[in-house]
Amino acid sequence: MMDTTSARRASFWIETTPRTSFPPLQGSITVDVAVLGGGITGLTAAVLLKRLGKTVAVIEAHRIAEGVTGNTTAKVTSQHRLIYDWLIRRHGERKARLYARANETAIERIASFISEKGIVCDLSRLPAYVYTEVEGMLPRLRAEADAARRLGLPSSFVREVPLPFAVKGALRFDDQLQFHIRKYLLPLAEEIPGAGSYIFENTRAVGVREGIRCRVDTDRGRVISKDVILATHVPFLFKGQLWGKAIPRREYGISARIGPTPASEGMFINAESPTRSVRTAARDGHNVLIVVGESHKTGEEPDTERRYRRLEEWASSRFGVRDFENRWSTQDYFPVDGLPYVGRIGAGPGHVYVATAFRGWGLSNGTAAAMLLSDLITGRGNEWAELYDPARKSHLASTGFYKEGLEEAAHFVGDRVRVPESSPADVRAGEGRVIKVGGDHVAVYRDPGGEVHALSAVCSHLGCIVSWNPAERSWDCPCHGSRFGYDGEVLQGPAVRNLESKNLGP
Ligand SMILES: Cc1cc2nc3c(=O)[nH]c(=O)nc-3n(C[C@H](O)[C@H](O)[C@H](O)COP(=O)(O)OP(=O)(O)OC[C@H]3O[C@@H](n4cnc5c(N)ncnc54)[C@H](O)[C@@H]3O)c2cc1C
Ligand code: FES
């Protein structure tokens, strides 16, 4: 019987680096650019803008590089599974080429930061493989290899991959990067504070008023700036309503101790479902296997624990590992037309910018987004602007756009009707459940010690009913992916307000 219970609930990257301790914002400050969100997108944009002579303030609700960025697989590649053949058919060869170029340029931007600053972040240049174990997938892999080659990407179709199990074939991209994301980002972020620029942690932005001077309201104080970047993963503003054009999908990660393995010679992801994304890393002189996968739409999986079990069983059967060290999960947003949304949003003076929906490939896409936004804000041209334009209409032609709208409406209505009248006494220790009490939807969690934590089950974003995520002990919203702790605190937006607590009486 494998040891699955002792794995710690933190990402490998967060657990192997020190916590940051930037101060919270106090009072009111003025800078050129307010950057909301301290993930790879916000931090990279802040560094680039400061280098271009702007003063910046990074406003981070929790701690920097602990959001999706701190829970990633940390592959930096333009090989985004099967995408280029589809992009050419959907958006045309010119745009597919721009997407490839944006991501390749971002990889080299990251490599340059690392070399010019001498950042020690376990960097290696390795091939990235997308492999298949299914004969029927080979024609798609070959088509992807052809598409990638046409776009000038360093790709080839191969039969052999350095994995300890048989595959039918793979697409190989050469010269990609693998690193430790926080060992890269934390030293990079040290460049931000000073000379009129700041990083503020534990400071949540709750509103933005756009004007000649923009005003960012936070739960601590206020930032006045000429421009505002929303790098909060998904934007919380109603402007642009990007949460309606992007689908939140949760994914799970595990790490396990492993001896020498051929898998250290590459990074891997399969072409079929369920996803298995694999790489190795180093920890205290031993080798670690990282496997990520089991994606599902946020708020729609009642048994999240089984997702970890499946990953561990797979890692055990394919790599013979038993000694599991970490379990973590996080989510990314998937744009309905396949391309991230990066640029100015909304009508008006045009000083508010977003970057979101990276489709699970936000280390390169987020870096490209930061490069694009710093160019837009400093008035420099950038050929990627049209590709990523958040106001583009191509998402309207997507079936995903309408399907999402229908699913959201189904959640809004259906989840209300389905909930039974019940009593908190029916909720067992360790269980979380939405029940109806006197006509109100109440999210009830009874902790292992028997204490009941009762909250309004109505999401503070736009009013859908949240659902219980047992593995993370959180309330997750199936409409746009907001997440709340069992105490109601916002863990992930677009919500900016906590779930209201409920007093259920004696
Ligand atoms: C399981 C998984 C594995 C992945 N693996 C890879 C990979 O190998 N390679 C790759 O390229 N991509 C990968 N991705 C995608 C990539 O990690 C993300 O797209 C990227 O990290 C997103 O970065 P971000 O800066 O936009 O968001 P985040 O890192 O989430 O940063 C946003 C920050 O904003 C803060 N915030 C939110 N709301 C507010 C507010 N109101 N006020 C202030 N701050 C706020 C959050 O706390 C957070 O720190 C993966 C994604 C997943 C889900
Ligand atoms: S996240 Fe939008 S309604 Fe909950």
Side-chain angles (χ1 to χ4, degrees), residues 245-282:
K245 301 172 194 163
I247 302 148
R249 296 192 66 83
R250 269 200 98 61
E251 261 192 286
Y252 299 78
I254 55 135
S255 75
R257 223 174 228 263
I258 191 170
T261 166
S264 299
E265 291 164 30
M267 301 173 265
F268 310 87
I269 192 164
N270 60 349
E272 51 270 14
S273 288
T275 309
R276 297 289 181 257
S277 180
V278 174
R279 60 164 288 184
T280 58

Side-chain angles (χ1 to χ4, degrees), residues 37 39-41 59-61 68-69 72-75 205 231 332 360-363:
I40 192 164
T41 312
I59 305 294
E60 167 54 51
V68 188
T69 300
T72 176
T73 324
K75 298 174 175 176
D332 212 4
W361 298 106
L363 303 192

